[in-house]
C-alpha cells in the first residue's frame, strides 16, 4: 500500500522560496506507471492544482504559477519535491502531494494523497 | 486553458434526499472527469473517475454521468456522513483544473 508524506518548513518569509518534499513509501517512484502531483488549498478555499512530474523528469505546471514553480524527483531517495519562489501571503495553504496512474495515452486522476502540510507565509 | 465550473456552490438537503451537483467544462474533455469528496479537515478522497466509474469502496448511492462538457454527481439518498465539499476535476491533460467546489450540508 503506497503512502505519501509531505515535509518541509511550516513558516516561510515573504519573497523567499517555499520548499517541500514528498516521501513515497510502499512503492517505487521510479515506476513508469505513475505521475506525481502537488496540489494546494488556501484556508477556507478550494483545491488548486500546482503541477506534476513523471519519474523521467518531464514536468507540467499550472500556467498561473509556472514562472515560480519547480517540481523535481529524486529517485535515489524515493522522493519528489516542490519549490515555489517569491512567495507572498497568497501562497499560504495546505500543500498536498498525490499520485496518479499513467497509461501513456491517457491517465487516471490522483487516487493516493498525502496528509497535507500547512505552510504559512508571514514575516 | 479549460475552466471547470460547478453549481451550486452550496446546498442544504434532508437525509434521504436525492442530491445533484453539476460541473461544466469550458471545452470538451470527453469523459476525463473526476469527482472528489473532502470532509471537513480531511484529505480529498477520489469518488468517481472517467465521469461515471466508482472508485473501489465508494458507496453505490454515489453516481456520476456526463461526457463532453456537462457532468453530474448524484447522491441518491443523502446520508449524514456525506456532509462534505465535492470537487470536480478534469484530468485528461495539464492543467488538471478543479472546479470551485460544492458544499453539501444537512438541513
Amino acid at each position: 500500500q503506497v503512502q505519501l508524506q509531505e515535509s518541509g518548513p511550516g513558516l516561510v518569509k515573504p519573497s523567499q522560496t517555499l520548499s517541500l518534499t514528498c516521501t513515497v513509501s510502499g512503492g517505487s517512484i521510479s515506476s513508469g506507471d505513475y505521475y506525481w502531483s502537488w496540489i494546494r488549498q488556501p484556508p477556507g478555499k478550494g483545491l488548486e492544482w500546482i503541477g506534476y512530474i513523471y519519474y523521467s523528469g518531464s514536468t507540467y505546471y499550472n500556467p498561473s504559477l509556472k514562472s515560480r514553480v519547480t517540481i523535481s524527483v529524486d529517485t535515489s531517495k524515493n522522493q519528489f519535491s516542490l519549490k515555489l519562489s517569491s512567495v507572498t501571503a497568497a501562497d499560504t495553504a495546505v500543500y498536498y502531494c498525490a499520485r496518479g496512474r499513467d497509461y501513456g495515452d491517457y491517465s487516471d486522476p490522483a487516487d493516493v494523497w498525502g496528509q497535507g502540510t500547512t505552510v504559512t507565509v508571514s514575516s | 486553458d479549460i475552466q471547470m465550473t460547478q453549481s451550486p456552490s452550496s446546498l442544504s438537503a434532508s437525509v434521504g434526499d436525492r442530491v445533484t451537483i453539476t460541473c461544466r467544462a469550458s471545452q470538451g474533455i470527453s469523459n476525463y472527469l473526476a469527482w472528489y469528496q473532502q470532509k471537513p479537515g480531511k484529505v480529498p478522497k477520489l469518488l468517481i473517475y472517467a465521469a461515471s466509474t466508482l472508485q473501489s469502496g465508494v458507496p453505490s448511492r454515489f453516481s456520476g454521468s456526463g461526457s463532453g462538457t456537462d457532468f453530474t454527481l448524484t447522491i441518491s439518498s443523502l446520508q449524514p456522513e456525506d456532509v462534505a465539499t465535492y470537487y470536480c476535476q478534469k484530468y485528461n491533460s495539464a492543467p488538471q483544473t478543479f472546479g470551485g467546489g460544492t458544499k453539501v450540508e444537512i438541513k
Side-chain angles (χ1 to χ4, degrees):
Chain A
Q1 184 83 348
V2 67
Q3 293 184 316
L4 308 180
Q5 180 66 59
E6 306 88 349
S7 60
L11 181 64
V12 180
K13 288 181 167 49
S15 81
Q16 293 190 342
T17 295
L18 177 161
S19 296
L20 296 175
T21 296
C22 183
T23 300
V24 179
S25 59
S28 173
I29 203 169
S30 298
S31 165
D33 297 333
Y34 300 99
Y35 63 90
W36 307 90
S37 298
W38 287 99
I39 296 145
R40 70 179 182 178
Q41 185 170 35
K45 296 189 177 181
L47 300 169
E48 181 180 28
W49 179 80
I50 298 172
Y52 60 62
I53 189 168
Y54 293 96
Y55 94 100
S56 63
S58 297
T59 53
Y60 298 84
Y61 300 137
N62 187 324
S64 68
L65 300 170
K66 189 174 183 177
S67 64
R68 300 194 291 130
V69 171
T70 302
I71 298 176
S72 59
V73 65
D74 186 338
T75 55
S76 67
K77 294 181 179 179
N78 223 32
Q79 296 175 334
F80 63 106
S81 299
L82 168 70
K83 292 188 185 300
L84 182 65
S85 64
S86 305
V87 297
T88 70
D91 295 309
T92 294
V94 176
Y95 285 76
Y96 297 100
C97 58
R99 183 201 77 171
R101 186 76 186 266
D102 177 63
Y103 297 93
D105 291 342
Y106 69 99
S107 62
D108 279 342
D111 62 340
V112 179
W113 292 53
Q115 287 301 302
T117 188
T118 299
V119 178
T120 301
V121 178
S122 175
S123 56
Chain B
D1 294 331
I2 297 173
Q3 305 304 313
M4 306 300 293
T5 304
Q6 281 183 242
S7 62
S9 57
S10 65
L11 66 89
S12 181
S14 299
V15 173
D17 281 355
R18 184 181 184 88
V19 168
T20 299
I21 299 167
T22 65
C23 178
R24 175 164 290 176
S26 59
Q27 298 176 41
I29 58 170
S30 185
N31 68 335
Y32 292 103
L33 191 282
W35 290 98
Y36 289 90
Q37 175 194 62
Q38 186 179 32
K39 295 184 178 181
K42 300 298 185 182
V43 178
K45 171 188 172 184
L46 178 64
L47 289 181
I48 288 170
Y49 62 98
S52 61
T53 302
L54 230 58
Q55 180 74 343
S56 176
V58 173
S60 59
R61 63 180 178 274
F62 291 93
S63 64
S65 64
S67 184
T69 60
D70 294 309
F71 303 88
T72 61
L73 171 69
T74 299
I75 308 173
S76 61
S77 176
L78 186 67
Q79 300 301 304
E81 60 266 35
D82 300 334
V83 168
T85 300
Y86 294 84
Y87 296 92
C88 63
Q89 184 200 31
K90 65 162 286 274
Y91 61 89
N92 56 320
S93 62
Q96 292 184 328
T97 308
F98 289 94
T102 297
K103 187 174 184 179
V104 174
E105 298 176 320
I106 300 291
K107 192 181 296 182

